[in-house]
Amino acid sequence: MIPEISTERLRLRGLVASDLDAYAAMYADAEVMRFLEDGRPQPRSAAWRSMAGHLGHWALRGFGQWALVESATGEFVGRAGLWSPEGWPGLEVGWVLARPHWGRGLAREAAGAALTYAFEVIGAERVISVIAPGNDRSVRVAEGLGERYDRTIDVLDRGPHQIYAIERASWVARSQ
């Protein structure tokens, strides 16, 4: 039910139970979680619920986030993809990578594949990224994808978040 996508260095596939150890380690890392959830490291049980929620999103919406696996090593490196739960401000492309994999362009590579999927497969006209203030790394990824600052809004009572956005026409023009 969850399609697989291959990029130059990654395989995007559905989350599986054997991802839990690596996923939980990523969620337990204070630097990774600094701008996610409540800004604090999360216990293994929260990592499990997050995985289940992302799998459920595929079932309910027909799209979602993929596990990111490095093609060369088979190592779980994070998750990325599309997200639009009830009450969310729009169809989002998002990414979370385990810290050892930061700075290698993997988030941009995975998010780019997800944007292509959003525009070409599900027919989206606009995709956003919801970014917590101060998350300069994610701003650079969003801008590298061609997203531009749109506005700042309160996201589900979690406080102000920056919305970056890209339209289908802009993505198509960049891809040609």
Side-chain angles (χ1 to χ4, degrees):
M1 131 178 183
I2 299 174
E4 288 196 8
I5 298 175
S6 293
T7 67
E8 182 181 338
R9 298 175 290 169
L10 296 170
R11 184 166 59 104
L12 286 67
R13 60 153 172 80
L15 289 157
V16 294
S18 60
D19 292 330
L20 181 58
D21 287 343
Y23 198 98
M26 180 176 74
Y27 258 50
D29 185 319
E31 279 301 302
V32 170
M33 297 307 294
R34 181 175 172 200
F35 298 109
L36 301 172
E37 308 288 340
D38 64 3
R40 296 181 297 193
Q42 300 293 306
R44 184 178 180 90
S45 59
W48 173 263
R49 286 189 302 277
S50 173
M51 287 176 57
H54 285 289
L55 287 169
H57 192 282
W58 276 101
L60 293 170
R61 296 279 196 226
F63 57 84
Q65 296 222 343
W66 289 271
L68 307 179
V69 178
E70 196 166 34
S71 298
T73 65
E75 183 180 358
F76 176 91
V77 300
R79 68 168 162 78
L82 305 172
W83 183 244
S84 186
E86 183 63 27
W88 211 241
L91 175 61
E92 179 181 15
V93 61
W95 49 86
V96 181
L97 270 68
R99 195 162 18 142
H101 304 286
W102 288 5
R104 298 175 44 210
L106 297 175
R108 184 174 170 189
E109 185 174 324
L115 280 173
T116 297
Y117 189 87
F119 292 127
E120 293 181 3
V121 177
I122 67 173
E125 290 297 325
R126 181 174 194 262
V127 178
I128 65 171
S129 291
V130 178
I131 302 174
N135 190 347
D136 297 333
R137 286 178 173 273
S138 282
V139 168
R140 285 192 299 273
V141 172
E143 289 177 341
L145 292 165
E147 291 184 274
R148 297 293 169 244
Y149 174 79
D150 185 64
R151 66 194 187 283
T152 298
I153 63 171
D154 182 12
V155 177
L156 300 180
D157 297 323
R158 294 182 185 174
H161 282 67
Q162 300 169 328
I163 304 297
Y164 280 72
I166 188 167
E167 308 292 328
R168 175 198 291 269
S170 295
W171 182 254
V172 170
R174 288 177 58 89
S175 301
Q176 296 178 348

